[in-house]
Amino acid sequence: MTVLATVPSLKIAAMVSGQGRGSNLGALLAACESGEIAGKFAVVIGTKAEAPALERARAAGVATTVVSPRKYSEDVEYGEVLLRILRKYEVDLLCLAGYMRHLPPSVVAAFPNRILNVHPALLPLFGGQGMYGEHVHRAVIESGMKVSGCTVHLVDEQYDSGPIVVQIAVPVEEDDTPATLAARVIKAEHQAYVRAVQFCAQGRVHVEGSRVRISPE
Ligand code: GRF
C-alpha cells in the first residue's frame, strides 16, 4: 500500500499537546516554506491555547485551533470533534508533533497510514506509555546502550507502534545526562521528521505488512 500516492500537494495538519514547544513543528513549517516538502500546513491543533507550538504556527500564518480532550467525557466525542476539523481543512496527512496522548481510535481508523509520529528513541525500544521526554533518555542511559536516536513512524491503535518510516541513530556518550542526550536527539528528530514527510509528499512510502519501503526518487 502506497501512502498518499496521488496527492499533488499535501495538506498537512499537526497536533501538539499542552505546553509543546513545537521545535519539530518549526522544522516542518520551515521545510514547507522552503519547498523542501511539497506541501502546506492547513491547521495545527493544540490541547492548550498557551502552547508555544501554536504561537509558532500562528507566526507562520497557519490556522490554529484548540481542542481540550478534558472537555469530553469520551474518546468518541473527542474523536468526532477532531475529525470534523481534519475534514474541514481537507487534511491529507496528520503529524503528531509532541502530542502526548493516545489518539481516539476513530481518528486512527479515518486516517489509515496517514498519521505520523516522532519518538525520541529507536523504537520498538524505549516506547509506550510513560516513555516521553527525559524519561526516555534516562532509560536509554541506564540501559547502557551505546546508541539511541529517533523514530518517525506511521500511527496505529497502540502507543508508539506502527510501521517505521525513518530512523536516525545518535551515539550515547559516556558523560551524557538525559538533557545532553535529548539535545542531540532532538536535532536528529527534526531531520528525520522532515525526511519522512517529504517521502510521503513524494508518494515514495510503501507499507508492506509491518515494514516500510521507500522507493527511489
Ligand atoms: C519530541 O521529543 C518528540 O519526539 C516527542 O515530543 C517531543 C516534542 O518536542 N514526541 P517539540 O515540541 O517538537 O520540540
Side-chain angles (χ1 to χ4, degrees):
M1 192 254 166
T2 303
V3 176
L4 297 161
T6 56
V7 177
S9 176
L10 216 55
K11 287 206 190 91
I12 307 168
M15 284 185 71
V16 299
S17 274
Q19 300 299 331
R21 68 193 154 173
S23 72
N24 279 287
L25 175 66
L28 293 174
L29 287 166
C32 287
E33 184 64 35
S34 72
E36 197 179 344
I37 292 174
K40 207 171 170 325
F41 267 86
V43 63
V44 175
I45 306 171
T47 59
K48 280 196 185 144
E50 58 275 19
L54 292 181
E55 195 39 57
R56 270 183 203 260
R58 283 190 284 266
V62 174
T64 61
T65 177
V66 175
V67 183
S68 167
R70 290 194 187 168
K71 265 182 62 185
Y72 305 96
S73 56
E74 284 187 42
D75 243 13
V76 180
E77 289 170 53
Y78 177 48
E80 274 168 15
V81 175
L82 293 177
L83 282 176
R84 218 172 298 139
I85 296 166
L86 296 171
R87 289 191 177 125
K88 174 177 157 196
Y89 286 95
E90 300 176 330
V91 168
D92 300 307
L93 182 73
L94 173 59
C95 295
L96 306 184
Y99 180 74
M100 304 303 185
R101 303 178 69 91
H102 200 224
L103 263 189
S106 59
V107 176
V108 179
F111 284 80
N113 288 331
R114 291 203 284 146
I115 306 175
L116 289 172
N117 181 43
V118 62
H119 184 76
L122 294 174
L123 293 174
L125 298 175
F126 306 107
Q129 205 146 13
M131 276 294 182
Y132 60 89
E134 285 217 356
H135 300 289
V136 178
H137 303 295
R138 183 167 297 112
V140 169
I141 291 168
E142 282 173 3
S143 77
M145 293 269 300
K146 299 290 189 195
V147 183
S148 188
C150 65
T151 304
V152 180
H153 64 96
L154 292 162
V155 169
D156 64 16
E157 304 71 28
Q158 268 119 60
Y159 242 88
D160 294 332
S161 150
I164 293 168
V165 183
V166 175
Q167 284 187 311
I168 296 179
V170 169
V172 179
E173 306 292 354
E174 285 171 10
D175 56 356
D176 260 336
T177 63
T180 60
L181 181 55
R184 211 171 311 115
V185 168
I186 194 79
K187 292 190 189 141
E189 290 187 43
H190 300 162
Q191 284 179 32
Y193 219 165
V194 167
R195 204 179 296 164
V197 175
Q198 195 181 31
F199 288 156
C200 291
Q202 293 168 332
R204 294 167 60 195
V205 177
H206 313 282
V207 183
E208 300 169 350
S210 57
R211 300 184 74 184
V212 167
R213 183 171 55 81
I214 308 295
S215 54
E217 266 184 284

Short mmCIF file of all heavy atoms in Angstrom, two decimals, residues 44-112:
data_model
loop_
_atom_site.label_atom_id
_atom_site.label_comp_id
_atom_site.label_asym_id
_atom_site.label_seq_id
_atom_site.Cartn_x
_atom_site.Cartn_y
_atom_site.Cartn_z
N VAL A 44 -3.07 23.63 12.72
CA VAL A 44 -2.38 23.00 13.85
C VAL A 44 -3.36 22.96 15.02
O VAL A 44 -3.96 23.97 15.37
CB VAL A 44 -1.09 23.76 14.24
CG1 VAL A 44 -0.46 23.14 15.48
CG2 VAL A 44 -0.09 23.75 13.08
N ILE A 45 -3.54 21.76 15.56
CA ILE A 45 -4.50 21.57 16.65
C ILE A 45 -3.72 21.37 17.96
O ILE A 45 -2.84 20.50 18.03
CB ILE A 45 -5.38 20.32 16.41
CG1 ILE A 45 -6.06 20.41 15.03
CG2 ILE A 45 -6.41 20.15 17.52
CD1 ILE A 45 -6.77 19.12 14.60
N GLY A 46 -4.04 22.17 18.95
CA GLY A 46 -3.37 22.04 20.25
C GLY A 46 -4.39 21.68 21.33
O GLY A 46 -5.59 21.86 21.13
N THR A 47 -3.88 21.19 22.46
CA THR A 47 -4.80 20.87 23.56
C THR A 47 -4.91 22.03 24.55
O THR A 47 -5.80 22.06 25.37
CB THR A 47 -4.35 19.60 24.33
OG1 THR A 47 -3.04 19.83 24.84
CG2 THR A 47 -4.35 18.37 23.43
N LYS A 48 -3.94 22.98 24.47
CA LYS A 48 -4.00 24.16 25.35
C LYS A 48 -3.63 25.41 24.56
O LYS A 48 -2.64 25.39 23.82
CB LYS A 48 -3.01 24.00 26.50
CG LYS A 48 -3.52 23.13 27.61
CD LYS A 48 -2.70 23.34 28.88
CE LYS A 48 -3.16 22.36 29.94
NZ LYS A 48 -2.06 21.88 30.77
N ALA A 49 -4.39 26.47 24.78
CA ALA A 49 -4.21 27.69 23.99
C ALA A 49 -2.81 28.27 24.10
O ALA A 49 -2.28 28.83 23.15
CB ALA A 49 -5.24 28.73 24.42
N GLU A 50 -2.18 28.12 25.30
CA GLU A 50 -0.92 28.83 25.52
C GLU A 50 0.32 28.07 25.02
O GLU A 50 1.44 28.47 25.30
CB GLU A 50 -0.77 29.23 26.99
CG GLU A 50 -0.81 28.09 27.99
CD GLU A 50 -2.24 27.69 28.40
OE1 GLU A 50 -3.19 28.04 27.67
OE2 GLU A 50 -2.39 27.01 29.42
N ALA A 51 0.13 27.00 24.28
CA ALA A 51 1.29 26.21 23.82
C ALA A 51 2.17 27.05 22.88
O ALA A 51 1.67 27.62 21.91
CB ALA A 51 0.82 24.96 23.10
N PRO A 52 3.48 27.11 23.15
CA PRO A 52 4.38 27.84 22.25
C PRO A 52 4.30 27.31 20.81
O PRO A 52 4.48 28.06 19.86
CB PRO A 52 5.76 27.59 22.86
CG PRO A 52 5.51 27.25 24.29
CD PRO A 52 4.18 26.59 24.34
N ALA A 53 3.99 26.02 20.66
CA ALA A 53 3.88 25.44 19.31
C ALA A 53 2.78 26.14 18.51
O ALA A 53 2.93 26.37 17.31
CB ALA A 53 3.59 23.94 19.41
N LEU A 54 1.69 26.50 19.18
CA LEU A 54 0.59 27.18 18.46
C LEU A 54 1.02 28.58 18.05
O LEU A 54 0.65 29.07 16.99
CB LEU A 54 -0.66 27.23 19.35
CG LEU A 54 -1.33 25.90 19.64
CD1 LEU A 54 -2.57 26.11 20.51
CD2 LEU A 54 -1.73 25.17 18.36
N GLU A 55 1.83 29.19 18.90
CA GLU A 55 2.35 30.53 18.58
C GLU A 55 3.22 30.47 17.32
O GLU A 55 3.12 31.31 16.44
CB GLU A 55 3.14 31.04 19.80
CG GLU A 55 3.43 32.51 19.79
CD GLU A 55 2.27 33.35 19.27
OE1 GLU A 55 1.15 33.28 19.82
OE2 GLU A 55 2.50 34.05 18.27
N ARG A 56 4.04 29.42 17.24
CA ARG A 56 4.88 29.23 16.04
C ARG A 56 4.02 29.10 14.79
O ARG A 56 4.34 29.65 13.74
CB ARG A 56 5.64 27.90 16.15
CG ARG A 56 6.96 27.96 16.80
CD ARG A 56 7.57 26.57 16.73
NE ARG A 56 8.56 26.39 17.74
CZ ARG A 56 9.87 26.49 17.51
NH1 ARG A 56 10.31 26.74 16.31
NH2 ARG A 56 10.73 26.32 18.49
N ALA A 57 2.93 28.33 14.91
CA ALA A 57 2.05 28.11 13.76
C ALA A 57 1.42 29.44 13.34
O ALA A 57 1.42 29.78 12.15
CB ALA A 57 0.98 27.09 14.12
N ARG A 58 0.93 30.19 14.32
CA ARG A 58 0.29 31.48 14.00
C ARG A 58 1.29 32.41 13.33
O ARG A 58 0.98 33.08 12.36
CB ARG A 58 -0.27 32.13 15.27
CG ARG A 58 -1.58 31.49 15.71
CD ARG A 58 -2.24 32.30 16.81
NE ARG A 58 -1.58 32.09 18.09
CZ ARG A 58 -1.97 31.19 18.99
NH1 ARG A 58 -3.01 30.43 18.76
NH2 ARG A 58 -1.33 31.06 20.12
N ALA A 59 2.53 32.42 13.84
CA ALA A 59 3.56 33.29 13.26
C ALA A 59 3.84 32.91 11.81
O ALA A 59 4.24 33.75 11.01
CB ALA A 59 4.84 33.20 14.09
N ALA A 60 3.61 31.63 11.48
CA ALA A 60 3.85 31.18 10.10
C ALA A 60 2.58 31.34 9.25
O ALA A 60 2.53 30.88 8.11
CB ALA A 60 4.31 29.72 10.12
N GLY A 61 1.56 31.95 9.83
CA GLY A 61 0.33 32.20 9.08
C GLY A 61 -0.56 30.97 8.93
O GLY A 61 -1.39 30.90 8.02
N VAL A 62 -0.39 30.01 9.85
CA VAL A 62 -1.18 28.78 9.76
C VAL A 62 -2.33 28.85 10.78
O VAL A 62 -2.14 29.33 11.90
CB VAL A 62 -0.28 27.55 10.07
CG1 VAL A 62 -1.09 26.26 10.13
CG2 VAL A 62 0.83 27.44 9.03
N ALA A 63 -3.50 28.39 10.36
CA ALA A 63 -4.66 28.38 11.26
C ALA A 63 -4.39 27.48 12.45
O ALA A 63 -3.74 26.43 12.31
CB ALA A 63 -5.88 27.87 10.50
N THR A 64 -4.86 27.88 13.62
CA THR A 64 -4.70 27.04 14.80
C THR A 64 -6.06 26.87 15.46
O THR A 64 -6.94 27.72 15.32
CB THR A 64 -3.75 27.67 15.84
OG1 THR A 64 -4.31 28.91 16.27
CG2 THR A 64 -2.36 27.88 15.28
N THR A 65 -6.20 25.78 16.16
CA THR A 65 -7.43 25.58 16.91
C THR A 65 -7.10 24.78 18.17
O THR A 65 -6.16 24.00 18.17
CB THR A 65 -8.51 24.94 16.02
OG1 THR A 65 -9.66 24.69 16.78
CG2 THR A 65 -8.06 23.66 15.38
N VAL A 66 -7.87 25.03 19.21
CA VAL A 66 -7.60 24.35 20.48
C VAL A 66 -8.76 23.41 20.79
O VAL A 66 -9.92 23.82 20.76
CB VAL A 66 -7.44 25.38 21.62
CG1 VAL A 66 -7.27 24.68 22.96
CG2 VAL A 66 -6.24 26.28 21.34
N VAL A 67 -8.44 22.16 21.02
CA VAL A 67 -9.45 21.19 21.43
C VAL A 67 -8.93 20.54 22.72
O VAL A 67 -7.92 19.84 22.68
CB VAL A 67 -9.67 20.09 20.37
CG1 VAL A 67 -10.79 19.16 20.81
CG2 VAL A 67 -9.97 20.69 19.00
N SER A 68 -9.60 20.81 23.82
CA SER A 68 -9.15 20.24 25.09
C SER A 68 -9.82 18.89 25.30
O SER A 68 -11.04 18.81 25.47
CB SER A 68 -9.51 21.20 26.22
OG SER A 68 -9.35 20.52 27.43
N PRO A 69 -9.03 17.81 25.32
CA PRO A 69 -9.64 16.48 25.49
C PRO A 69 -10.41 16.37 26.81
O PRO A 69 -11.35 15.60 26.92
CB PRO A 69 -8.44 15.53 25.48
CG PRO A 69 -7.24 16.34 25.28
CD PRO A 69 -7.59 17.79 25.24
N ARG A 70 -10.02 17.19 27.79
CA ARG A 70 -10.68 17.12 29.12
C ARG A 70 -12.15 17.53 29.06
O ARG A 70 -12.92 17.24 29.95
CB ARG A 70 -9.97 18.06 30.09
CG ARG A 70 -8.62 17.51 30.42
CD ARG A 70 -8.04 18.20 31.59
NE ARG A 70 -6.68 17.72 31.75
CZ ARG A 70 -5.80 18.25 32.54
NH1 ARG A 70 -6.13 19.30 33.24
NH2 ARG A 70 -4.59 17.77 32.62
N LYS A 71 -12.49 18.28 28.01
CA LYS A 71 -13.88 18.74 27.88
C LYS A 71 -14.82 17.60 27.52
O LYS A 71 -16.03 17.73 27.59
CB LYS A 71 -13.96 19.80 26.79
CG LYS A 71 -13.86 21.21 27.32
CD LYS A 71 -13.99 22.23 26.22
CE LYS A 71 -15.33 22.20 25.49
NZ LYS A 71 -15.37 23.12 24.36
N TYR A 72 -14.22 16.50 27.05
CA TYR A 72 -15.06 15.40 26.56
C TYR A 72 -14.94 14.20 27.47
O TYR A 72 -13.83 13.79 27.82
CB TYR A 72 -14.66 15.04 25.12
CG TYR A 72 -14.72 16.27 24.23
CD1 TYR A 72 -13.58 17.02 23.98
CD2 TYR A 72 -15.94 16.71 23.73
CE1 TYR A 72 -13.63 18.17 23.22
CE2 TYR A 72 -16.00 17.87 22.98
CZ TYR A 72 -14.84 18.60 22.73
OH TYR A 72 -14.92 19.75 22.00
N SER A 73 -16.08 13.66 27.82
CA SER A 73 -16.05 12.51 28.75
C SER A 73 -15.62 11.25 28.02
O SER A 73 -15.12 10.31 28.60
CB SER A 73 -17.40 12.34 29.40
OG SER A 73 -18.37 12.18 28.40
N GLU A 74 -15.81 11.23 26.73
CA GLU A 74 -15.49 10.00 25.99
C GLU A 74 -14.59 10.29 24.80
O GLU A 74 -14.69 11.35 24.18
CB GLU A 74 -16.78 9.40 25.44
CG GLU A 74 -17.60 8.71 26.49
CD GLU A 74 -18.78 8.01 25.83
OE1 GLU A 74 -18.57 7.40 24.77
OE2 GLU A 74 -19.89 8.13 26.37
N ASP A 75 -13.79 9.29 24.48
CA ASP A 75 -12.93 9.34 23.30
C ASP A 75 -13.74 9.54 22.02
O ASP A 75 -13.28 10.16 21.07
CB ASP A 75 -12.20 7.99 23.19
CG ASP A 75 -10.70 8.18 23.32
OD1 ASP A 75 -10.29 9.27 23.74
OD2 ASP A 75 -9.97 7.24 22.98
N VAL A 76 -14.97 9.01 22.05
CA VAL A 76 -15.82 9.07 20.85
C VAL A 76 -16.12 10.53 20.50
O VAL A 76 -15.95 10.96 19.36
CB VAL A 76 -17.14 8.29 21.09
CG1 VAL A 76 -18.04 8.36 19.86
CG2 VAL A 76 -16.84 6.87 21.48
N GLU A 77 -16.53 11.29 21.53
CA GLU A 77 -16.86 12.70 21.27
C GLU A 77 -15.61 13.48 20.87
O GLU A 77 -15.64 14.28 19.94
CB GLU A 77 -17.40 13.36 22.55
CG GLU A 77 -18.76 12.92 22.96
CD GLU A 77 -19.07 13.47 24.35
OE1 GLU A 77 -18.93 14.69 24.55
OE2 GLU A 77 -19.41 12.66 25.23
N TYR A 78 -14.53 13.24 21.59
CA TYR A 78 -13.26 13.93 21.30
C TYR A 78 -12.84 13.62 19.86
O TYR A 78 -12.47 14.51 19.09
CB TYR A 78 -12.20 13.47 22.31
CG TYR A 78 -10.81 14.04 22.12
CD1 TYR A 78 -10.61 15.39 21.91
CD2 TYR A 78 -9.69 13.20 22.16
CE1 TYR A 78 -9.33 15.90 21.75
CE2 TYR A 78 -8.42 13.70 22.00
CZ TYR A 78 -8.24 15.06 21.79
OH TYR A 78 -6.97 15.56 21.62
N GLY A 79 -12.94 12.36 19.48
CA GLY A 79 -12.59 11.94 18.12
C GLY A 79 -13.46 12.63 17.08
O GLY A 79 -12.96 13.07 16.04
N GLU A 80 -14.75 12.76 17.37
CA GLU A 80 -15.65 13.41 16.40
C GLU A 80 -15.25 14.85 16.15
O GLU A 80 -15.26 15.33 15.02
CB GLU A 80 -17.10 13.37 16.91
CG GLU A 80 -17.79 12.07 16.54
CD GLU A 80 -19.12 11.90 17.27
OE1 GLU A 80 -19.63 12.89 17.85
OE2 GLU A 80 -19.61 10.76 17.29
N VAL A 81 -14.90 15.54 17.25
CA VAL A 81 -14.51 16.95 17.12
C VAL A 81 -13.23 17.06 16.28
O VAL A 81 -13.13 17.89 15.37
CB VAL A 81 -14.31 17.60 18.51
CG1 VAL A 81 -13.79 19.02 18.38
CG2 VAL A 81 -15.60 17.58 19.28
N LEU A 82 -12.26 16.19 16.57
CA LEU A 82 -11.00 16.22 15.80
C LEU A 82 -11.27 15.93 14.33
O LEU A 82 -10.75 16.62 13.44
CB LEU A 82 -10.01 15.19 16.36
CG LEU A 82 -9.48 15.46 17.76
CD1 LEU A 82 -8.56 14.32 18.21
CD2 LEU A 82 -8.72 16.79 17.82
N LEU A 83 -12.10 14.92 14.07
CA LEU A 83 -12.37 14.55 12.67
C LEU A 83 -13.07 15.67 11.92
O LEU A 83 -12.79 15.90 10.74
CB LEU A 83 -13.22 13.27 12.63
CG LEU A 83 -12.42 11.99 12.86
CD1 LEU A 83 -13.33 10.77 12.90
CD2 LEU A 83 -11.35 11.80 11.78
N ARG A 84 -13.96 16.37 12.62
CA ARG A 84 -14.65 17.48 11.97
C ARG A 84 -13.62 18.53 11.49
O ARG A 84 -13.68 19.04 10.39
CB ARG A 84 -15.65 18.12 12.95
CG ARG A 84 -16.93 18.54 12.26
CD ARG A 84 -17.98 18.98 13.25
NE ARG A 84 -18.39 17.93 14.17
CZ ARG A 84 -18.61 18.12 15.49
NH1 ARG A 84 -18.45 19.30 16.04
NH2 ARG A 84 -19.00 17.12 16.25
N ILE A 85 -12.65 18.81 12.34
CA ILE A 85 -11.63 19.81 11.99
C ILE A 85 -10.77 19.29 10.83
O ILE A 85 -10.52 20.00 9.86
CB ILE A 85 -10.74 20.14 13.21
CG1 ILE A 85 -11.59 20.78 14.31
CG2 ILE A 85 -9.57 21.04 12.81
CD1 ILE A 85 -10.91 20.84 15.66
N LEU A 86 -10.33 18.04 10.94
CA LEU A 86 -9.44 17.50 9.91
C LEU A 86 -10.15 17.45 8.56
O LEU A 86 -9.53 17.69 7.52
CB LEU A 86 -8.96 16.09 10.33
CG LEU A 86 -8.09 16.08 11.61
CD1 LEU A 86 -7.83 14.65 12.07
CD2 LEU A 86 -6.76 16.80 11.37
N ARG A 87 -11.44 17.18 8.59
CA ARG A 87 -12.20 17.14 7.32
C ARG A 87 -12.44 18.54 6.78
O ARG A 87 -12.33 18.77 5.59
CB ARG A 87 -13.51 16.39 7.52
CG ARG A 87 -13.23 14.91 7.71
CD ARG A 87 -14.46 14.06 7.65
NE ARG A 87 -14.07 12.66 7.75
CZ ARG A 87 -14.56 11.81 8.66
NH1 ARG A 87 -15.48 12.20 9.51
NH2 ARG A 87 -14.13 10.56 8.68
N LYS A 88 -12.74 19.46 7.69
CA LYS A 88 -12.98 20.85 7.27
C LYS A 88 -11.76 21.38 6.51
O LYS A 88 -11.90 22.06 5.50
CB LYS A 88 -13.25 21.71 8.52
CG LYS A 88 -13.36 23.18 8.22
CD LYS A 88 -13.69 23.97 9.47
CE LYS A 88 -13.25 25.41 9.31
NZ LYS A 88 -13.19 26.15 10.55
N TYR A 89 -10.58 21.05 6.99
CA TYR A 89 -9.35 21.55 6.34
C TYR A 89 -8.83 20.59 5.27
O TYR A 89 -7.75 20.79 4.74
CB TYR A 89 -8.27 21.82 7.39
CG TYR A 89 -8.54 23.07 8.21
CD1 TYR A 89 -9.19 22.99 9.43
CD2 TYR A 89 -8.18 24.33 7.73
CE1 TYR A 89 -9.47 24.14 10.17
CE2 TYR A 89 -8.45 25.47 8.47
CZ TYR A 89 -9.10 25.37 9.69
OH TYR A 89 -9.36 26.51 10.41
N GLU A 90 -9.61 19.57 4.97
CA GLU A 90 -9.27 18.58 3.92
C GLU A 90 -7.85 18.05 4.08
O GLU A 90 -7.05 18.03 3.14
CB GLU A 90 -9.46 19.20 2.53
CG GLU A 90 -10.89 19.65 2.29
CD GLU A 90 -11.06 20.36 0.96
OE1 GLU A 90 -10.09 21.00 0.48
OE2 GLU A 90 -12.15 20.25 0.40
N VAL A 91 -7.55 17.65 5.30
CA VAL A 91 -6.19 17.23 5.64
C VAL A 91 -5.86 15.87 5.01
O VAL A 91 -6.65 14.94 5.05
CB VAL A 91 -6.07 17.17 7.18
CG1 VAL A 91 -4.81 16.46 7.62
CG2 VAL A 91 -6.13 18.58 7.75
N ASP A 92 -4.67 15.80 4.40
CA ASP A 92 -4.18 14.53 3.83
C ASP A 92 -3.33 13.77 4.85
O ASP A 92 -3.38 12.55 4.93
CB ASP A 92 -3.29 14.80 2.61
CG ASP A 92 -4.03 15.54 1.51
OD1 ASP A 92 -5.10 15.06 1.11
OD2 ASP A 92 -3.52 16.58 1.05
N LEU A 93 -2.48 14.52 5.57
CA LEU A 93 -1.51 13.88 6.45
C LEU A 93 -1.53 14.59 7.80
O LEU A 93 -1.46 15.82 7.86
CB LEU A 93 -0.10 14.01 5.83
CG LEU A 93 1.03 13.36 6.61
CD1 LEU A 93 0.98 11.83 6.49
CD2 LEU A 93 2.40 13.85 6.09
N LEU A 94 -1.62 13.80 8.86
CA LEU A 94 -1.62 14.36 10.22
C LEU A 94 -0.29 14.03 10.89
O LEU A 94 0.10 12.86 10.96
CB LEU A 94 -2.79 13.75 11.01
CG LEU A 94 -2.87 14.08 12.50
CD1 LEU A 94 -2.98 15.58 12.74
CD2 LEU A 94 -4.07 13.37 13.14
N CYS A 95 0.39 15.06 11.35
CA CYS A 95 1.70 14.86 12.01
C CYS A 95 1.55 15.12 13.52
O CYS A 95 1.21 16.25 13.91
CB CYS A 95 2.73 15.84 11.45
SG CYS A 95 3.09 15.56 9.72
N LEU A 96 1.81 14.11 14.31
CA LEU A 96 1.82 14.31 15.76
C LEU A 96 3.20 14.86 16.11
O LEU A 96 4.22 14.25 15.78
CB LEU A 96 1.56 12.99 16.49
CG LEU A 96 0.28 12.25 16.08
CD1 LEU A 96 0.08 11.01 16.94
CD2 LEU A 96 -0.95 13.16 16.14
N ALA A 97 3.21 16.04 16.71
CA ALA A 97 4.50 16.70 16.97
C ALA A 97 4.53 17.13 18.43
O ALA A 97 4.22 18.28 18.75
CB ALA A 97 4.65 17.90 16.02
N GLY A 98 4.84 16.16 19.31
CA GLY A 98 4.78 16.45 20.73
C GLY A 98 3.35 16.33 21.22
O GLY A 98 2.93 17.05 22.12
N TYR A 99 2.60 15.42 20.63
CA TYR A 99 1.24 15.12 21.10
C TYR A 99 1.34 13.90 21.99
O TYR A 99 1.70 12.82 21.53
CB TYR A 99 0.31 14.86 19.91
CG TYR A 99 -1.11 14.56 20.33
CD1 TYR A 99 -1.93 15.57 20.80
CD2 TYR A 99 -1.61 13.27 20.28
CE1 TYR A 99 -3.23 15.30 21.22
CE2 TYR A 99 -2.90 12.99 20.70
CZ TYR A 99 -3.71 14.01 21.15
OH TYR A 99 -4.98 13.74 21.57
N MET A 100 1.09 14.09 23.28
CA MET A 100 1.44 13.07 24.28
C MET A 100 0.31 12.10 24.60
O MET A 100 0.45 11.25 25.45
CB MET A 100 1.88 13.75 25.58
CG MET A 100 3.01 14.73 25.40
SD MET A 100 4.45 13.93 24.65
CE MET A 100 5.65 15.23 24.70
N ARG A 101 -0.83 12.25 23.97
CA ARG A 101 -1.96 11.40 24.34
C ARG A 101 -2.17 10.29 23.32
O ARG A 101 -1.60 10.33 22.22
CB ARG A 101 -3.24 12.24 24.38
CG ARG A 101 -3.18 13.40 25.30
CD ARG A 101 -4.47 14.16 25.20
NE ARG A 101 -5.56 13.39 25.78
CZ ARG A 101 -5.93 13.47 27.05
NH1 ARG A 101 -5.31 14.29 27.85
NH2 ARG A 101 -6.91 12.74 27.51
N HIS A 102 -3.04 9.39 23.68
CA HIS A 102 -3.47 8.33 22.78
C HIS A 102 -4.52 8.95 21.87
O HIS A 102 -5.48 9.56 22.34
CB HIS A 102 -4.08 7.21 23.63
CG HIS A 102 -4.13 5.91 22.94
ND1 HIS A 102 -5.21 5.10 22.97
CD2 HIS A 102 -3.22 5.28 22.18
CE1 HIS A 102 -4.96 4.01 22.27
NE2 HIS A 102 -3.76 4.09 21.79
N LEU A 103 -4.38 8.82 20.55
CA LEU A 103 -5.39 9.39 19.65
C LEU A 103 -6.66 8.55 19.71
O LEU A 103 -6.57 7.32 19.75
CB LEU A 103 -4.87 9.34 18.22
CG LEU A 103 -4.22 10.55 17.58
CD1 LEU A 103 -4.03 10.27 16.09
CD2 LEU A 103 -5.01 11.82 17.79
N PRO A 104 -7.84 9.16 19.64
CA PRO A 104 -9.06 8.36 19.62
C PRO A 104 -9.03 7.37 18.44
O PRO A 104 -8.60 7.73 17.34
CB PRO A 104 -10.16 9.40 19.41
CG PRO A 104 -9.59 10.68 19.89
CD PRO A 104 -8.12 10.60 19.64
N PRO A 105 -9.47 6.13 18.66
CA PRO A 105 -9.44 5.11 17.61
C PRO A 105 -10.14 5.55 16.32
O PRO A 105 -9.73 5.18 15.22
CB PRO A 105 -10.16 3.91 18.24
CG PRO A 105 -10.09 4.13 19.71
CD PRO A 105 -9.98 5.60 19.93
N SER A 106 -11.19 6.39 16.45
CA SER A 106 -11.92 6.81 15.25
C SER A 106 -11.03 7.65 14.33
O SER A 106 -11.15 7.59 13.11
CB SER A 106 -13.17 7.61 15.62
OG SER A 106 -12.80 8.74 16.38
N VAL A 107 -10.12 8.41 14.92
CA VAL A 107 -9.22 9.25 14.11
C VAL A 107 -8.20 8.36 13.41
O VAL A 107 -7.93 8.52 12.21
CB VAL A 107 -8.52 10.32 14.99
CG1 VAL A 107 -7.53 11.13 14.17
CG2 VAL A 107 -9.55 11.22 15.64
N VAL A 108 -7.66 7.39 14.13
CA VAL A 108 -6.68 6.46 13.53
C VAL A 108 -7.35 5.70 12.39
O VAL A 108 -6.78 5.54 11.30
CB VAL A 108 -6.13 5.48 14.60
CG1 VAL A 108 -5.14 4.50 13.98
CG2 VAL A 108 -5.46 6.25 15.73
N ALA A 109 -8.60 5.27 12.61
CA ALA A 109 -9.31 4.49 11.59
C ALA A 109 -9.62 5.34 10.35
O ALA A 109 -9.60 4.85 9.22
CB ALA A 109 -10.60 3.94 12.17
N ALA A 110 -9.89 6.64 10.57
CA ALA A 110 -10.25 7.51 9.44
C ALA A 110 -9.02 7.92 8.62
O ALA A 110 -9.15 8.36 7.48
CB ALA A 110 -10.97 8.76 9.95
N PHE A 111 -7.83 7.79 9.20
CA PHE A 111 -6.59 8.18 8.51
C PHE A 111 -5.59 7.02 8.49
O PHE A 111 -4.49 7.14 9.02
CB PHE A 111 -5.98 9.41 9.19
CG PHE A 111 -6.70 10.70 8.88
CD1 PHE A 111 -7.86 11.03 9.53
CD2 PHE A 111 -6.22 11.56 7.89
CE1 PHE A 111 -8.55 12.20 9.23
CE2 PHE A 111 -6.89 12.73 7.59
CZ PHE A 111 -8.06 13.05 8.25
N PRO A 112 -5.97 5.93 7.84
CA PRO A 112 -5.06 4.77 7.87
C PRO A 112 -3.76 5.08 7.14
O PRO A 112 -3.79 5.59 6.01
CB PRO A 112 -5.86 3.67 7.14
CG PRO A 112 -6.88 4.41 6.32
CD PRO A 112 -7.16 5.70 7.03
#
